[in-house]
Amino acid sequence: MKNLSLNLSLNLSLGRQLLLALGLLILLPGNVDPDNGFTLLNSASAAEADSVIGVASMAEAELVPAPKPGRGDYPSVGVSSRSVVWVVAQMHMFFAAFVLAVPLFVLVIEWIGVKTGDDRYDDMAHEFMKISMTAYSITALFGGALAFALFLLYPQFMEYMMRVFGSQTLVYAGLFFAESVCLYVYYYSWGALRYGNRKWLHLTIGLMLNAVGLTLLVIANAWSTFMMAPSGVNEAGAVTGSIWEIMKGPLWNPINLHRFLANIAFGGAIVGAYAAYKFLSARTQEMRAHYDWMGYTANFIAILAFLPLPFAGYWLMAEIYAYSQQMGITAMGGILAWLFIVQAVLIGTILLAGNYYLWSGMSRTEGSIRYTWMVKYIAIVLVAGFLVWVTPHTLILSASEMAELGGSHHHLLGPLGIMPAKNIAVNLMLIFTFMSFQIYRRADKVATVSWEKAGNALMVSIYLVAIANVIFAGVYYGYFTNTVYKVGSSVMQVVSTLMVIVSGIVIDGFMYKGAKILPSVWGRVSNRAQYALFALPVAFTWLMALMGYVRSSVRTHWHVYTVMKDNSPDNYIPTIGHAGNMMTIVTVLFLLCVLFIFWIASLANTKQPPPAPVTSKPS
Amino acid sequence: MNLSNPVVVWVGALLLTLLFFYGMDHFIMLIQGLPLNFDLTPAQ
């Protein structure tokens, strides 16, 4: 079977590979038999073997181990190669995340516009796309710069990656062309394909755009996860498996899910900032109303995608621990552990800003007065949860400080530094953030169904029992049982939170069907709320830089973990301060580019008034 | 049972939810190979 698939792979055309790669989107789960058609994608060592074509030589090429470069094999350009790649790669990731995410929710908004017949949705979707168009070019520029930087500064590593992934890289390039074609056709045909059957054609183009975009995402993810947890190669790094076996490493799907959700949240936050920028600079009430609604929608997208994100992150970390306990400990118990405290600060900022925006937005309707009393209690829980989450466990103390404290851990705050306390805090923060969402959504509605009271009783009961369950599982199993139960019970907490979210959506969906709608005044929201929309992309960008660094650094001194060592002058984990500076530089750089994009997007609508006709003086 | 009585509605909703979450806890731990006793303590 293997030989057969090798033979087939040699004859495989690029177009066929392209189609198969597109099929990945549909067949993402890892239960696909490696001996099925996907082995046709086998490029393994094929493309990178020498030019002699033949199965025998291919088989030999497969057994070539990973290179072992020495210090002198890394070209020097006078500055740290790692820093160069760090900045360029992170910038590419920011922009790629943005341009892949925006079409996802734009397509949904456009479809809602078709279903409701409300042109405002269509206009908003088009405006969202306009922002991402400039970003697309910048993504390509940074992508090209990244490829050049990697080939120049890490030639042996790139030679190895090319050998492992082979012709799949050409598939990626082909998909990039397809993405460009779909994107430009989708954007520029908006007006031409606006109504009737033509609109469905336009939606189909949008669907194709997203299919290609997601395929690009999962292919690039496979490269990253191969570096962290290589599969389809032996201990020496020689390729032994098919391209499918190389791709479907243990971390691939967790990263796929995590990046999919994170990209949407990130994209929503960026376009939310655009709406806030336009809201603050609006000169008419009509414009304020439009951009207020746009900002609300963007915040809705960002927070809705953000709510399940911690669970995807949890799955990723669990898989990292399952793959290599050492790698997990490096991330969460070693030098990188302090970065998770910074992560808590950033996520706390996101949740506080997102909630604050919702509370401010309740002023749009008089009906919100029924729920405003709850805001202060939600705020108390969010702040308390935030404080627990940022409490560190192990402090770096001098001898005198330790003597004063009575040990290395504070006797009261110490227990708040470990995972059970943080699990409780995170889950409660998410539950109460959803509560903010729910009361916001209910604010302009009056239910008319006969079972309203019973529905409310059920909803309140679900909140109470879920909160009790989260606290019980965290305290009892977290502090009074062994580690196995501690980890197992965290699933109970996660599912409790998800139950609140799912039941809230379902109950409200039925309860407010045909409800009486109270008047809302779009544009009647404070300017302060717009600053919350600015806080979101800043925190999201920093968070992506931070956690992207953690994800990459867990490989420590390996290019490809346990397979290809990094012998460059930068083969060490930098100090937290240095890493923090790098993340900050790249975050500020990205935000400056975003401001440029906003300016460009606004410039398109700016028209110079025609010059006044020159009147000749009578002689 | 009078469903228009608020006490019946609230107590009923609470009991229903408690029962659901109790079963859910057992199920979640069971599929991880971590069975619980009736009082939710780890089974020995």
Side-chain angles (χ1 to χ4, degrees):
Chain A
M1 183 66 196
K2 194 168 179 59
N3 286 336
L4 176 66
S5 67
L6 272 171
N7 280 323
L8 286 169
S9 74
L10 291 173
N11 299 323
L12 199 62
S13 68
L14 184 63
R16 182 77 179 276
Q17 290 204 16
L18 192 70
L19 286 173
L20 286 167
L22 276 170
L24 284 175
L25 190 71
I26 303 159
L27 294 164
L28 264 182
N31 57 359
V32 177
D33 182 355
D35 279 344
N36 72 5
F38 271 103
T39 46
L40 297 178
L41 263 174
N42 185 328
S43 56
S45 56
E48 294 305 316
D50 58 34
S51 58
V52 180
I53 304 298
V55 175
S57 62
M58 290 300 301
E60 282 169 20
E62 269 192 321
L63 297 175
V64 176
K68 292 178 181 169
R71 180 65 54 96
D73 294 324
Y74 292 88
S76 172
V77 289
V79 292
S80 163
S81 298
R82 175 172 63 186
S83 297
V84 171
V85 170
W86 191 337
V87 171
V88 178
Q90 191 62 65
M91 289 295 284
H92 177 61
M93 290 297 294
F94 284 148
F95 279 104
F98 179 60
V99 299
L100 290 180
V102 171
L104 283 168
F105 54 77
V106 158
L107 184 66
V108 176
I109 294 169
E110 189 187 5
W111 181 76
I112 292 171
V114 172
K115 295 302 284 182
T116 59
D118 188 341
D119 278 348
R120 290 183 310 158
Y121 286 102
D122 208 68
D123 294 338
M124 181 168 63
H126 189 224
E127 194 161 357
F128 280 156
M129 278 306 293
K130 186 171 73 180
I131 308 163
S132 76
M133 290 304 285
T134 314
Y136 189 73
S137 310
I138 301 177
T139 310
L141 290 174
F142 277 111
L146 175 62
F148 283 130
L150 284 171
F151 278 107
L152 172 69
L153 301 170
Y154 296 94
Q156 286 83 6
F157 164 69
M158 289 306 285
E159 180 266 322
Y160 178 59
M161 290 295 276
M162 289 297 109
R163 175 146 44 96
V164 171
F165 286 94
S167 56
Q168 193 210 49
T169 49
L170 291 177
V171 175
Y172 185 85
L175 285 169
F176 191 77
F177 279 108
E179 168 90 357
S180 304
V181 170
C182 289
L183 181 76
Y184 288 120
V185 173
Y186 184 60
Y187 179 71
Y188 287 107
S189 66
W190 206 288
L193 305 174
R194 180 137 192 177
Y195 302 106
N197 286 336
R198 286 187 177 195
K199 191 63 180 172
W200 289 103
L201 176 62
H202 192 256
L203 284 166
T204 308
I205 296 167
L207 192 65
M208 284 165 59
L209 168 65
N210 281 305
V212 176
L214 283 174
T215 312
L216 279 169
L217 174 73
V218 299
I219 288 179
N221 288 348
W223 303 340
S224 300
T225 53
F226 175 79
M227 289 167 67
M228 294 171 73
S231 56
V233 292
N234 64 16
E235 295 80 3
V239 175
T240 55
S242 66
I243 187 67
W244 177 240
E245 285 164 332
I246 291 165
M247 285 179 74
K248 68 173 183 74
L251 306 182
W252 188 47
N253 274 334
I255 285 270
N256 285 339
L257 178 66
H258 195 271
R259 281 191 171 163
F260 174 74
L261 292 171
N263 287 358
I264 294 173
F266 180 66
I270 299 286
V271 293
Y274 170 79
Y277 165 79
K278 297 291 284 184
F279 178 91
L280 291 173
S281 57
R283 296 212 173 97
T284 63
Q285 178 56 31
E286 192 186 357
M287 277 183 76
R288 279 172 69 89
H290 174 71
Y291 288 111
D292 182 23
W293 184 58
M294 198 167 166
Y296 159 74
T297 309
N299 182 62
F300 182 87
I301 294 163
I303 298 297
L304 203 65
F306 183 72
L307 284 176
L309 198 54
F311 307 133
Y314 191 90
W315 180 31
L316 175 59
M317 280 315 298
E319 290 296 331
I320 287 177
Y321 268 98
Y323 169 72
S324 163
Q325 201 166 20
Q326 180 58 52
M327 187 182 269
I329 291 168
T330 302
M332 298 197 73
I335 186 171
L336 302 172
W338 269 89
L339 298 178
F340 282 81
I341 299 295
V342 184
Q343 180 205 26
V345 175
L346 291 170
I347 294 180
T349 305
I350 289 169
L351 289 177
L352 286 170
N355 276 277
Y356 178 77
Y357 180 78
L358 287 171
W359 302 333
S360 300
M362 285 168 72
S363 62
R364 294 183 190 113
T365 175
E366 300 298 330
S368 62
I369 204 155
R370 294 168 295 165
Y371 300 105
T372 45
W373 63 272
M374 296 168 71
V375 167
K376 55 182 171 293
Y377 299 109
I378 298 174
I380 288 169
V381 173
L382 289 177
V383 172
F386 179 57
L387 292 175
V388 170
W389 202 356
V390 299
T391 304
H393 182 236
T394 308
L395 301 169
I396 301 165
L397 300 168
S398 65
S400 60
E401 286 170 332
M402 206 178 284
E404 202 176 331
L405 198 65
S408 59
H409 304 118
H410 191 275
H411 65 290
L412 286 177
L413 298 178
L416 299 181
I418 58 174
M419 277 310 288
K422 298 188 189 308
N423 277 344
I424 295 173
V426 173
N427 280 285
L428 292 186
M429 288 174 86
L430 294 176
I431 287 174
F432 279 83
T433 297
F434 180 74
M435 190 183 286
S436 287
F437 243 118
Q438 201 171 19
I439 60 173
Y440 178 88
R441 300 279 297 166
R442 286 179 169 212
D444 66 341
K445 297 180 187 75
V446 177
T448 52
V449 293
S450 60
W451 50 274
E452 184 198 358
K453 284 182 179 163
N456 277 333
L458 187 62
M459 195 65 242
V460 172
S461 299
I462 290 170
Y463 269 111
L464 289 175
V465 176
I467 290 165
N469 208 37
V470 164
I471 295 171
F472 167 74
V475 173
Y476 177 66
Y477 294 109
Y479 290 99
F480 299 102
T481 59
N482 62 41
T483 306
V484 177
Y485 273 89
K486 187 191 294 186
V487 175
S489 67
S490 63
V491 182
M492 280 163 53
Q493 295 176 305
V494 168
V495 177
S496 298
T497 304
L498 288 175
M499 285 311 299
V500 171
I501 295 172
V502 171
S503 57
I505 292 168
V506 172
I507 290 173
D508 280 16
F510 285 109
M511 197 190 291
Y512 290 96
K513 204 171 183 180
K516 183 183 163 195
I517 305 294
L518 301 173
S520 287
V521 184
W522 287 104
R524 194 168 75 185
V525 65
S526 69
N527 284 353
R528 287 193 305 277
Q530 309 307 311
Y531 296 113
L533 287 184
F534 284 129
L536 284 176
V538 174
F540 267 119
T541 309
W542 230 317
L543 189 59
M544 280 177 70
L546 178 81
M547 299 318 287
Y549 164 70
V550 171
R551 185 201 58 71
S552 187
S553 280
V554 293
R555 291 179 288 112
T556 61
H557 58 290
W558 296 91
H559 285 310
V560 180
Y561 197 62
T562 71
V563 163
M564 183 181 176
K565 256 188 186 157
D566 177 358
N567 280 321
S568 70
D570 298 313
N571 66 347
Y572 60 93
I573 294 181
T575 60
I576 290 174
H578 177 77
N581 286 338
M582 291 297 294
M583 290 165 212
T584 306
I585 288 168
V586 77
T587 299
V588 171
L589 200 57
F590 174 72
L591 292 172
L592 287 173
C593 290
V594 166
L595 285 178
F596 172 73
I597 289 167
F598 289 176
W599 176 70
I600 288 285
S602 300
L603 199 61
N605 296 332
T606 308
K607 288 186 173 60
Q608 186 187 8
V614 180
T615 52
S616 55
K617 286 182 182 176
S619 55
Chain B
M1 195 159 53
N2 182 8
L3 283 177
S4 60
N5 185 340
V7 178
V8 173
V9 169
W10 280 92
V11 171
L14 197 58
L15 283 177
L16 196 70
T17 312
L18 274 170
L19 195 68
F20 176 80
F21 274 80
Y22 178 77
M24 187 187 83
D25 284 354
H26 270 283
F27 176 73
I28 289 169
M29 297 303 262
L30 194 70
I31 57 173
Q32 297 180 89
L34 302 168
L36 301 171
N37 290 313
F38 182 71
D39 58 0
L40 291 178
T41 57
Q44 298 301 314

